[in-house]
Amino acid sequence: MTDKQILPSGHPRIDSLEMRGIVKRFPGVLANDHVNFDVRAGEVHALLGENGAGKSTLMKQLYGLYHPDEGQIIFDGEPRVIHSPKDAIQLGIGMIHQHFMLVDSLTVAENVALGLPSTRGMMTDIDRVTKRICELAEVYGLDVEPDAYIWQLSVGQQQKVEIIKALYRGAALLILDEPTAVLTPQEVDDFFVTLTQMAKDGHALIFISHKLHEVMAFTHRVTVLRDGKNVGTVNTVDTNKNLLAEMMVGRPLNFIRNYKTIECGKPRLKVENLSALSDRGVPALKNVSFEVCAGEVLGLAGVSGNGQPELAQVIAGLRPSTSGKIMIDDETLTGSTPMQVIEKGVAYIPEKRNVDGLIKEFSVSENLILRDLDREFYSKNAFLNMNNIAKRSADLVKTFNVKTPSIDTPIKSLSGGNAQKVILAREISRQPRVLIAAQPTRGVDIGATEYIHERIIEQRETGTATLLISEDLDEIFALSDRIAVIFHGEIMGVVDRKDATLQSIGLMMAGEQPPETQAAE
Amino acid sequence: MLADLFTGSVLIGLLASGIRLATPYLYAAIGETFGQRSGVLNLGVDGIMLMGAFSAFYVVFKTGDLVGGVLLAMLVGLLMGLAMAFISVTLNAEQGISGIGVYLFGLGMSDLLFQKLINNVQTVSGFPVAPIPFLSEIPVIGQIFFTHNVLVYGAYLLVPIAWFVLNKTTLGLKIKAVGENPEAADTLGVSVAKIRYLTVSMGGLLSGVAGASLSIALLNVFQFNLTNGLGFIAIALVYFGGWRPTWVLMGSLIFSFVNALQIWVQVVGIPIPSDIAVMTPYILTIVVLVISAQRVRPPSALSKTYERLE
Ligand SMILES: Nc1ncnc2c1ncn2[C@@H]1O[C@H](COP(=O)(O)OP(=O)(O)OP(=O)(O)O)[C@@H](O)[C@H]1O
Ligand SMILES: [Mg+2]
């Protein structure tokens, strides 16, 4: 105990942590079935598995949120019972949760200070916390504004707040439950620099992700779970992406996609000189214009925080525009209520899906039909047609492979990725005229990603105009017919995918005019 | 004729009584503000007030001990608050229903005790007016603001204290976090149950004082259903005041001033139908607060139980 190395954050390091024979049952689900897992100081250990494999459940037991039905948690050789997150924090465990654990109506600094003792006794010491946040932000290259309210921040920025929260508490062992799902490629690179440094310092890191290239790039060992059971633990250097995918899914996956190009129909979604304000009242969109044809996928690339969520919200009727016009075929959409927008055939997969897209207390089937309640198929004269609802829900759950004990299970007891699939199933299956898909595969496993991509491509054939908003350039390139780039609320240019290179798009994302459009003007 | 009646001294009297009448609303509504900020809607306020009113009255009736009366009202309020917390936090019962249960218990129990222990309407000598030295001698202002009994002063003192606790202390931060996102608070080691127990039992304690302020400071009597729904108005004031102590104060004042005016109008016999007169404070308070408090979102977790879902 005495010769134990103290980490820069002030906590003694945790040399080894072992979870042995962990069993955790939920009603109708065996989430963890005698799982073994261990992590050492200085190591990044990846935890992989499909949606619902039991990764978050395992980690929540380490963080004291759930308690194992069987099994032991062993800290530096000593068995410990972790009763609550408070115990975990004291032991030096930090967790960045899959869903943001932030209080929207409080500021960044207040969120960080929450639950910590203050140097001013009963009074908060927000000034001191603010200073320390700025220090940490500088050391780890995480720019956040301590005075901003959480509701004003983009998802990417909120993620940084989560990281700062854990760093501030000086965790020696850090659990990262899909931390990169919402970061841009550049942010991910910076993030890995931070994490690698932390591991070198002697932190133990547990890293959950669905992105295999990340796992390959910077972890030391990988443990794979399937259906709550260990599939195996391997050294990262001894494996590769395909092997890992096979371990997860239990079958080889098809990474290469080929699809035929479709003749572009008439312009279906037209956006003309659209401007709008952000939550903070500053211009978020400046004279945005573009068209999406029937049967076309327009990819909107851009670094997070450049107006993407605002654009999606304006089209969906959830945010007023200050000027400009939106048209679907020949109908004006500008100024419509969200309900009218739905009725005109727009489907919307929101970026902040946990907040905007689902009602957590409602069941899977209720969430699945939420948008179409008024359709005669589901309800007649104000009475719900339970039979049809159940049939349809069961279908969707099956085709989208949503792992749930039943269609009557409330959304809040689904795994993160499975909850996402519910929204995707609902929106994509509505056969919309226009599909606005914001980060559609964020947080879903590789099997489901494959499936969603296939469905988006399929939609083109039925004449849907798709606006695909994504920070994942691989995804943009894989699915788009044309690529638009947004920077500081302006469209920098629109290029055909066959003329685009990662380099040219990357430059535009950083705010440089593409040579083609300059020539055209 | 109206001008003759409405003299300067009448106006001063009205304002002073408005200040005084706001007392029970303030205690109850500030207490309820804490509970609701932490996510618990306690509809039992009125019942707790009745029990507080009776306990205080009984002590004063038997012993004349005013401070003892207030202390017992606090204790009884605290216990009923704890009961509400136990039902809604530990047992995770539907908050609206548990609150109504607490209300009905208070309504019935206070009457039962009254029947058994006192049985007929009596008066006591309650808290005497305690003019604040010097300040009370300022013309007009002194009479309006500084010539009241201690429970009145206490109620107004509570407002800045509540503001301070909510906005400047670590406890306030925890309360707000628990009311907005209990899950997030939980992951940071903040015990949702502890915070809710604390706010709800403090709310109960303050409701007890609110009741005492009626029975041994303002009216100095006890009878069946003495509060006459006052506790429910206090809850409404919390909503219309946007869960902020300063706005709750505004609401309580508007309500009480108009109420004082309405009572005066009826006493001097100005011919306005009494139903309408009685209604005005309610309507006016709602209108003023709805217009002035820009739309404030209620705490996101208000009236939702929290479980870790294990
Ligand atoms: N609180 C709960 N109540 C009931 N069932 C639950 C609860 N939490 C998780 N489950 C179930 O346990 C299983 C494992 O869920 P878990 O969240 O651990 O998955 P995961 O591996 O983290 O998946 P994802 O990649 O989608 O986040 C799922 O089938 C889920 O429905
Ligand atoms: Mg998970």
Side-chain angles (χ1 to χ4, degrees):
Chain A
M1 209 49 205
T2 43
D3 55 347
K4 207 158 191 185
Q5 183 202 336
I6 305 284
L7 294 169
S9 53
H11 201 279
R13 99 182 187 176
I14 297 169
D15 288 316
S16 75
L17 173 115
E18 203 187 331
M19 301 181 82
R20 222 181 262 167
I22 302 289
V23 174
K24 181 73 197 168
R25 294 182 195 91
F26 292 117
V29 183
L30 183 52
N32 287 156
D33 184 1
H34 296 91
V35 175
N36 297 319
F37 181 79
D38 77 291
V39 60
R40 312 168 190 136
E43 173 191 49
V44 184
H45 193 149
L47 188 56
L48 275 183
E50 294 191 277
N51 293 136
K55 307 177 295 290
S56 298
T57 303
L58 187 68
M59 289 302 114
K60 283 183 182 166
Q61 294 171 84
L62 185 51
Y63 194 65
L65 281 169
Y66 296 161
H67 304 100
D69 294 330
E70 284 171 43
Q72 272 189 318
I73 298 176
I74 300 159
F75 254 78
D76 289 337
E78 275 175 64
R80 295 271 191 160
V81 180
I82 303 171
H83 296 284
S84 68
K86 210 171 186 159
D87 284 359
I89 293 169
Q90 250 153 31
L91 285 168
I93 303 176
M95 180 160 178
I96 296 182
H97 298 265
Q98 186 169 3
H99 305 310
F100 299 133
M101 293 295 177
L102 295 169
V103 184
D104 273 1
S105 57
L106 299 181
T107 65
V108 170
E110 285 173 331
N111 269 279
V112 172
L114 180 61
L116 288 175
S118 158
T119 50
R120 290 168 68 204
M122 273 170 50
M123 285 165 68
T124 49
D125 52 353
I126 294 299
D127 290 344
R128 224 189 107 263
V129 174
T130 301
K131 242 176 75 196
R132 179 96 179 98
I133 291 175
C134 293
E135 287 166 22
L136 282 170
E138 183 143 347
V139 174
Y140 293 99
L142 299 156
D143 58 322
V144 293
E145 253 180 83
D147 301 334
Y149 285 94
I150 299 298
W151 57 264
Q152 298 172 325
L153 304 181
S154 73
V155 216
Q157 290 166 318
Q158 292 188 5
Q159 180 66 285
K160 289 181 185 163
V161 179
E162 287 286 27
I163 296 165
I164 296 237
K165 245 168 68 183
L167 290 173
Y168 195 98
R169 284 165 172 71
L173 185 157
L174 193 56
I175 304 162
L176 302 142
D177 196 348
E178 300 191 30
T180 56
V182 294
L183 300 184
T184 60
Q186 292 95 318
E187 286 171 327
V188 169
D189 289 343
D190 294 346
F191 184 54
F192 285 168
V193 173
T194 306
L195 296 189
T196 310
Q197 186 58 45
M198 288 176 72
K200 280 215 187 89
D201 287 349
H203 289 87
L205 302 177
I206 302 171
F207 178 73
I208 301 179
S209 172
H210 289 293
K211 296 181 186 160
L212 296 178
H213 62 269
E214 295 177 357
V215 171
M216 289 308 299
F218 98 118
T219 67
H220 301 101
R221 283 193 297 161
V222 186
T223 292
V224 179
L225 299 182
R226 193 195 309 148
D227 293 331
K229 291 196 219 18
N230 282 99
V231 178
T233 299
V234 291
N235 290 320
T236 310
V237 290
D238 301 334
T239 186
N240 63 41
K241 271 167 56 167
N242 289 331
L243 285 175
L244 288 176
E246 231 181 293
M247 277 172 90
M248 282 166 66
V249 187
R251 67 178 162 91
L253 267 180
N254 175 20
F255 278 109
I256 312 127
R257 277 173 226 102
N258 279 318
Y259 60 91
K260 54 178 192 281
T261 33
I262 287 182
E263 265 313 296
C264 199
K266 60 179 172 77
R268 175 146 267 182
L269 173 67
K270 253 193 273 184
V271 172
E272 275 170 33
N273 293 320
L274 193 68
S275 297
L277 300 178
S278 74
D279 286 341
R280 318 183 73 168
V282 295
L285 297 176
K286 302 167 203 158
N287 287 318
V288 168
S289 301
F290 60 82
E291 286 178 3
V292 191
C293 302
E296 184 190 39
V297 176
L298 178 71
L300 185 70
V303 176
S304 100
N306 277 292
Q308 298 95 317
E310 286 84 359
L311 176 62
Q313 287 162 3
V314 172
I315 299 175
L318 296 166
R319 178 183 292 274
S321 56
T322 48
S323 66
K325 218 159 76 174
I326 307 167
M327 308 270 291
I328 286 196
D329 291 330
D330 293 319
E331 297 172 73
T332 309
L333 205 66
T334 335
S336 304
T337 63
M339 199 60 213
Q340 290 164 339
V341 173
I342 293 171
E343 278 162 5
K344 291 195 176 128
V346 178
Y348 173 44
I349 302 171
E351 176 179 349
K352 294 188 188 179
R353 291 193 261 276
N354 304 311
V355 190
D356 296 339
L358 290 169
I359 303 181
K360 280 171 138 187
E361 282 75 21
F362 282 21
S363 71
V364 170
S365 77
E366 282 164 337
N367 272 286
L368 277 171
I369 58 147
L370 213 50
R371 287 218 182 205
D372 301 302
L373 270 184
D374 293 339
R375 285 198 193 171
E376 208 170 288
F377 185 69
Y378 297 125
S379 67
K380 210 169 185 179
N381 310 326
F383 288 102
L384 292 174
N385 185 334
M386 290 303 177
N387 263 340
N388 283 352
I389 291 175
K391 233 176 24 221
R392 181 91 176 112
S393 307
D395 269 4
L396 287 173
V397 162
K398 211 166 119 223
T399 40
F400 279 78
N401 193 16
V402 180
K403 250 181 222 159
T404 172
S406 80
I407 57 169
D408 300 322
T409 306
I411 289 287
K412 62 183 175 186
S413 53
L414 256 54
S415 85
N418 281 304
Q420 312 259 319
K421 287 187 194 169
V422 171
I423 301 192
L424 296 164
R426 179 180 72 208
E427 298 299 327
I428 294 182
S429 66
R430 294 179 56 232
Q431 309 248 328
R433 286 205 282 171
V434 172
L435 173 66
I436 313 289
Q439 323 292 351
T441 55
R442 183 178 271 178
V444 299
D445 62 40
I446 47 175
T449 299
E450 188 190 33
Y451 184 74
I452 289 162
H453 284 177
E454 276 164 13
R455 291 307 299 259
I456 289 180
I457 288 164
E458 208 179 281
Q459 296 269 318
R460 297 161 76 237
E461 288 164 34
T462 57
T464 301
T466 303
L467 177 65
L468 170 70
I469 303 174
S470 178
E471 285 155 19
D472 181 348
L473 283 184
D474 293 341
E475 179 165 273
I476 292 267
F477 273 84
L479 300 181
S480 312
D481 297 295
R482 288 184 303 146
I483 301 173
V485 180
I486 191 166
F487 177 74
H488 284 186
E490 290 179 63
I491 299 288
M492 300 304 293
V494 183
V495 284
D496 269 5
R497 187 197 37 170
K498 50 186 191 304
D499 305 331
T501 60
L502 271 174
Q503 165 112 31
S504 65
I505 298 294
L507 281 176
M508 284 160 78
M509 282 167 71
E512 288 190 30
Q513 287 287 338
E516 297 97 320
T517 51
Q518 274 167 358
E521 274 165 11
Chain B
M1 173 222 165
L2 196 63
D4 295 341
L5 286 170
F6 206 76
T7 57
S9 64
V10 166
L11 183 62
I12 293 173
L14 279 177
L15 290 174
S17 77
I19 294 275
R20 201 169 51 242
L21 286 179
T23 305
Y25 298 101
L26 277 175
Y27 280 115
I30 295 287
E32 180 74 5
T33 300
F34 277 104
Q36 294 202 11
R37 264 332 242 308
S38 75
V40 183
L41 170 70
N42 181 0
L43 288 180
V45 174
D46 204 57
I48 303 179
M49 284 178 67
L50 282 167
M51 285 298 287
F54 175 78
S55 322
F57 184 83
Y58 184 68
V59 171
V60 176
F61 180 69
K62 286 286 177 201
T63 69
D65 180 359
L66 290 164
V67 175
V70 174
L71 288 178
L72 186 66
M74 283 182 170
L75 180 69
V76 168
L78 180 78
L79 291 175
M80 288 185 70
L82 278 173
M84 174 68 194
F86 179 72
I87 302 168
S88 60
V89 179
T90 305
L91 303 182
N92 272 322
E94 171 72 42
Q95 289 176 8
I97 303 295
S98 359
I100 289 171
V102 169
Y103 163 65
L104 290 175
F105 171 82
L107 180 68
M109 193 64 177
S110 60
D111 189 44
L112 179 70
L113 290 171
F114 174 63
Q115 306 275 346
K116 290 270 173 254
L117 299 175
I118 300 175
N119 195 23
N120 51 5
V121 175
Q122 303 266 358
T123 56
V124 292
S125 57
F127 277 94
V129 171
I132 296 179
F134 308 118
L135 290 177
S136 59
E137 282 153 36
I138 307 170
V140 184
I141 304 279
Q143 263 179 302
I144 297 174
F145 292 105
F146 304 112
T147 316
H148 295 289
N149 65 61
V150 278
L151 285 190
V152 179
Y153 301 136
Y156 287 89
L157 217 54
L158 204 55
V159 177
I161 294 176
W163 178 87
F164 182 82
V165 170
L166 278 177
N167 295 302
K168 296 286 163 194
T169 67
T170 51
L171 175 66
L173 196 56
K174 289 181 192 170
I175 292 173
K176 288 186 285 187
V178 165
E180 289 289 339
N181 189 345
E183 217 180 340
D186 191 14
T187 58
L188 294 178
V190 175
S191 162
V192 176
K194 257 189 216 154
I195 294 292
R196 289 188 169 172
Y197 259 87
L198 183 74
T199 56
V200 176
S201 50
M202 285 313 292
L205 183 144
L206 290 174
S207 295
V209 181
S213 75
L214 278 177
S215 67
I216 62 170
L218 297 179
L219 308 174
N220 301 333
V221 295
F222 188 85
Q223 64 189 38
F224 170 69
N225 195 14
L226 178 75
T227 54
N228 197 18
L230 193 153
F232 290 99
I233 294 165
I235 295 171
L237 287 170
V238 175
Y239 269 83
F240 292 124
W243 296 269
R244 289 170 302 187
T246 40
W247 279 97
V248 168
L249 170 67
M250 293 287 285
S252 307
L253 284 176
I254 297 167
F255 187 84
S256 313
F257 282 134
V258 180
N259 209 6
L261 184 67
Q262 172 267 123
I263 293 168
W264 175 78
V265 163
Q266 294 201 61
V267 169
V268 297
I270 294 171
I272 293 174
S274 72
D275 294 341
I276 291 186
V278 172
M279 249 156 56
T280 32
Y282 298 86
I283 294 171
L284 215 78
T285 309
I286 291 174
V287 169
V288 169
L289 285 168
V290 165
I291 293 172
S292 52
Q294 328 110 339
R295 298 251 231 100
V296 189
R297 225 173 18 84
S300 311
L302 182 58
S303 83
K304 289 187 189 141
T305 54
Y306 175 71
E307 274 176 292
R308 243 184 234 155
L309 252 188
E310 232 187 305

